[in-house]
Amino acid sequence: MRALKIVVSILILSLVNGCTDESPFLSKAEAYELSNELNLNRDPFHKVKNFAAIINNDVYYFHRLDSVPKRLTNSPSAVKTNIKLSFDKKQIAYLNGAGHPVIIRTDNGQILQTLTQFSFIDQMDWAKDRLTLYMLSDNVVNFYGESIEIIQPVINHPWDEVKSFSMNSIGDQGYYKRNYGDFFKRLKYHSTVKGIDEEYLNFEGDLYDYIDFYDNNGNFLIGSYDAFQDGIGKVVCVQNYDFFPAYEWDAEPMNTPEFNAELEILLYGTMEENVHKIKGVYLGTSAYPSQGYYDILTNVVEDYPSTTPIYLDWVQ
Amino acid sequence: MNRVCQHAHDWIKNYFFLVSLFFYIDSIAQENVLSISPEYNIPLGKLAWSYKASPGIQLKYSLVARKNRNFQSGLSFGYTALQPLADTLYYVVDRGGVGGVGIGTATFSPFKMIQITGTMNFEFPVVKKKLSINLGLGIGIIYGSREMIFEDSFGAIDDSAETVGWASMVSKAGLEYKITNNFSLSPYISYTFMIQTGNTDSNAIDYNPGTGAISNFYSPGMSISYSF
């Protein structure tokens, strides 16, 4: 009987001992599927979604950077520039060949409005909390839609030039202006949140002439336009009202650079191999700790090149 | 003749322990039993990750104790070749970071094992001289050999061939049905627990980096036994 107990105990223990971790081996299809899924989920560019772009003079909407975009217009012979996506991702505004803003629906490209009352637009964008389009034209900020209370650029001389204007929805605004007789453009920055009302000649010793508030968190992007390269040559991102370059990028001329602070990705149009392409640059370190300038993680959208400059706008 | 005697002397000297054990048991044994047992070895645990159930065979010589006919001791020789689950097994390799997940392939040769086991069996009659329950225990050694090749999409290759010894312990339970006075049939199931032997000291002559690795398998089988 004792022998019986010993043998039965061993057989029972064997059942327990036989249970171990799950096998690491998979079928070929399962292994490839899992590998692709893990790589995709780790790729910061896979998280980029909801941006509009003008490619070959037609408007496209990308639900994801790596997805097939929806073509919203079919008029490649009609010039289109300066595309902007509304905060609710339901409307797109762009400038037509005559320089008038055209507003279309994001879901089907239907033209909603052509704003012939506005022209010679230097910069425009949607407000971040409502369907109001603000446009810088001839040193004045105009609105289409509900008016927003702002501090209009101060003009002291008829030949003063406001080159860039941007604002967020929490009372921050900024514009670059070149005063008559002054070679440089200065940033006039106002923040209701931080109680700042200052003018800056340069930032960290460099000169800039473009500003874009990319969210409502005290973050904005400044750029310096390179006339020789016909694009923005350098971009600096300021985070949380901390006037220090949290991110910067100057590898190549950029058209309509757009930054998302959560993903730490800069998206823009640029020339690659003699054609215009959409390019993303990961400027963070958590997903990919780059080993230097030439090891920065980038993603070029190869499937949608353009013979004309690419304009884009991104509302994640 | 001298050479034959020399060989016999060497063999007895080398296997003195087993020979002594044999003569001791023979002094108390009354009956001899020869068994042949085809069986099916079912790998468990990590062994089952790469190998599938495969046939094997056991040959056993047992002696029935003179004073207690319900007790048998014996020596068993077995051979098994576990076949790999597939020509190529696939796994995911993760080196971390963006693009750091790749595919690995594993190729295994058949796992050939020679087993030598000292056994003890206890018989519990159910129907007198006809049907009984058999329980057994055994300890022994297993020599196993196999080759494993691992390659991954990042270029790493690991090719290893091993022929190593394992210490084993076997437990067994079955039924014995006596067809005649001399022949019996015994369906059974046994469990083999094996642990790699060797030395973890890299300077030792019996260095084995896999020392302590554990494997186990079940073996349902059928014994055909002849008593004389």
Side-chain angles (χ1 to χ4, degrees):
Chain A
M1 185 52 70
R2 188 178 175 191
L4 173 64
K5 287 180 185 174
I6 292 172
V7 171
V8 170
S9 300
I10 291 171
L11 286 172
I12 290 172
L13 278 172
S14 71
L15 273 171
V16 174
N17 195 44
C19 301
T20 59
D21 295 336
E22 195 174 327
S23 170
F25 298 117
L26 306 166
S27 69
K28 186 176 183 179
E30 287 172 338
Y32 275 96
E33 188 181 332
L34 180 60
S35 166
N36 290 337
E37 184 185 335
L38 289 172
N39 275 328
L40 205 58
N41 288 338
R42 283 188 198 173
D43 183 357
F45 295 107
H46 181 63
K47 300 180 177 72
V48 173
K49 54 184 182 180
N50 299 320
F51 69 93
I54 297 174
I55 301 171
N56 289 321
N57 279 326
D58 270 318
V59 177
Y60 291 78
Y61 187 83
F62 288 76
H63 285 281
R64 284 198 179 275
L65 184 64
D66 49 13
S67 68
V68 176
K70 182 169 184 149
R71 184 171 181 173
L72 297 178
T73 64
N74 192 16
S75 53
S77 59
V79 171
K80 303 174 186 67
T81 61
N82 296 71
I83 193 167
K84 285 294 172 186
L85 179 62
S86 66
F87 79 103
D88 60 359
K89 310 176 194 64
K90 291 183 179 177
Q91 296 185 22
I92 290 171
Y94 63 86
L95 297 180
N96 63 13
H100 303 306
V102 177
I103 299 175
I104 64 174
R105 283 174 58 154
T106 305
D107 56 353
N108 58 12
Q110 177 194 353
I111 295 178
L112 297 172
Q113 291 283 343
T114 301
L115 307 179
T116 55
Q117 67 271 39
F118 301 105
S119 56
F120 301 107
I121 310 290
D122 295 308
Q123 187 172 343
M124 70 176 181
D125 205 346
W126 294 95
K128 297 195 187 315
D129 61 350
R130 68 197 76 179
L131 286 174
T132 293
L133 192 67
Y134 65 88
M135 298 154 282
L136 173 67
S137 172
D138 197 19
N139 297 337
V140 175
V141 179
N142 300 299
F143 297 96
Y144 174 74
E146 180 186 341
S147 182
I148 300 173
E149 189 176 325
I150 63 161
I151 302 172
Q152 288 283 347
V154 175
I155 303 300
N156 297 310
H157 189 281
W159 288 3
D160 287 350
E161 280 185 276
V162 178
K163 304 300 290 181
S164 173
F165 176 92
S166 183
M167 56 188 270
N168 59 23
S169 300
I170 56 172
D172 300 335
Q173 63 175 73
Y175 61 87
Y176 274 96
K177 187 183 81 167
R178 186 171 63 191
N179 296 314
Y180 169 68
D182 194 350
F183 181 77
F184 304 109
K185 297 139 191 137
R186 298 166 190 268
L187 171 64
K188 180 68 174 174
Y189 178 87
H190 174 87
S191 170
T192 303
V193 174
K194 286 292 183 178
I196 301 173
D197 191 67
E198 296 284 344
E199 186 174 274
Y200 302 93
L201 172 59
N202 58 50
F203 186 81
E204 295 283 308
D206 288 332
L207 300 172
Y208 297 89
D209 50 21
Y210 173 81
I211 184 167
D212 176 38
F213 285 84
Y214 47 82
D215 58 32
N216 282 332
N217 298 319
N219 305 328
F220 60 91
L221 171 158
I222 55 177
S224 87
Y225 183 73
D226 186 337
F228 294 104
Q229 302 272 13
D230 194 22
I232 293 177
K234 181 175 180 179
V235 154
V236 165
C237 298
V238 172
Q239 292 279 100
N240 199 27
Y241 303 102
D242 190 359
F243 278 70
F244 179 81
Y247 307 92
E248 53 186 295
W249 185 245
D250 63 356
E252 58 210 336
M254 296 167 269
N255 204 23
T256 58
E258 294 286 327
F259 185 74
N260 181 279
E262 184 182 355
L263 299 183
E264 300 179 288
I265 288 176
L266 184 70
L267 203 63
Y268 53 90
T270 191
M271 283 283 277
E272 284 269 333
E273 298 167 342
N274 296 319
V275 290
H276 298 271
K277 295 179 184 175
I278 297 169
K279 185 169 182 175
V281 179
Y282 177 69
L283 297 177
T285 54
S286 58
Y288 183 81
S290 67
Q291 301 302 311
Y293 185 81
Y294 296 100
D295 187 41
I296 298 283
L297 196 64
T298 61
N299 185 308
V300 177
V301 179
E302 299 284 358
D303 292 342
Y304 299 94
S306 177
T307 56
T308 57
I310 288 180
Y311 299 83
L312 59 85
D313 192 35
W314 178 17
V315 178
Q316 179 74 6
Chain B
M1 187 64 181
N2 284 340
R3 196 182 299 172
V4 171
C5 290
Q6 184 63 39
H7 281 311
H9 176 260
D10 289 342
W11 189 87
I12 291 171
K13 187 176 74 174
N14 289 335
Y15 295 96
F16 178 75
F17 171 73
L18 284 176
V19 170
S20 301
L21 183 64
F22 174 80
F23 280 113
Y24 167 71
I25 293 171
D26 185 54
S27 70
I28 62 173
Q30 183 175 1
E31 190 175 316
N32 306 287
V33 182
L34 278 175
S35 304
I36 182 167
S37 309
E39 58 186 18
Y40 206 59
N41 300 296
I42 303 169
L44 300 171
K46 291 182 180 178
L47 199 59
W49 289 357
S50 28
Y51 294 98
K52 60 186 177 185
S54 308
I57 191 156
Q58 297 279 342
L59 289 173
K60 185 169 146 184
Y61 174 70
S62 304
L63 299 163
V64 180
R66 198 186 298 274
K67 290 185 180 176
N68 182 358
R69 288 190 56 80
N70 293 329
F71 174 77
Q72 291 181 18
S73 60
L75 200 62
S76 176
F77 299 86
Y79 175 76
T80 299
L82 292 177
Q83 300 300 314
L85 278 173
D87 292 338
T88 305
L89 298 173
Y90 295 86
Y91 58 97
V92 172
V93 177
D94 189 353
R95 295 172 66 177
V98 177
V101 182
I103 299 293
T105 59
T107 307
F108 294 88
S109 72
F111 190 4
K112 299 174 185 175
M113 291 183 277
I114 294 174
Q115 304 158 263
I116 303 172
T117 311
T119 64
M120 291 186 297
N121 273 73
F122 303 90
E123 199 175 291
F124 300 92
V126 177
V127 177
K128 192 175 180 183
K129 294 188 179 179
K130 205 64 179 174
L131 184 68
S132 59
I133 294 173
N134 274 357
L135 301 174
L137 287 172
I139 53 172
I141 52 175
I142 295 175
Y143 285 101
S145 72
R146 58 179 169 173
E147 184 179 4
M148 299 169 285
I149 304 173
F150 297 92
E151 290 183 67
D152 68 34
S153 51
F154 300 108
I157 299 176
D158 182 10
D159 185 350
S160 62
E162 63 174 26
T163 300
V164 294
W166 306 68
S168 66
M169 188 175 73
V170 183
S171 61
K172 188 174 173 180
L175 293 172
E176 185 179 1
Y177 177 72
K178 286 200 179 298
I179 304 170
T180 67
N181 284 340
N182 299 102
F183 284 96
S184 63
L185 279 176
S186 303
Y188 67 86
I189 185 164
S190 71
Y191 168 73
T192 301
F193 172 88
M194 42 198 276
I195 182 167
Q196 266 197 40
T197 59
N199 201 319
T200 54
D201 180 357
S202 58
N203 295 317
I205 195 168
D206 58 344
Y207 169 65
N208 176 15
T211 299
I214 289 170
S215 288
N216 43 14
F217 53 90
Y218 274 115
S219 304
M222 176 71 78
S223 279
I224 304 162
S225 302
Y226 174 70
S227 306
F228 61 94

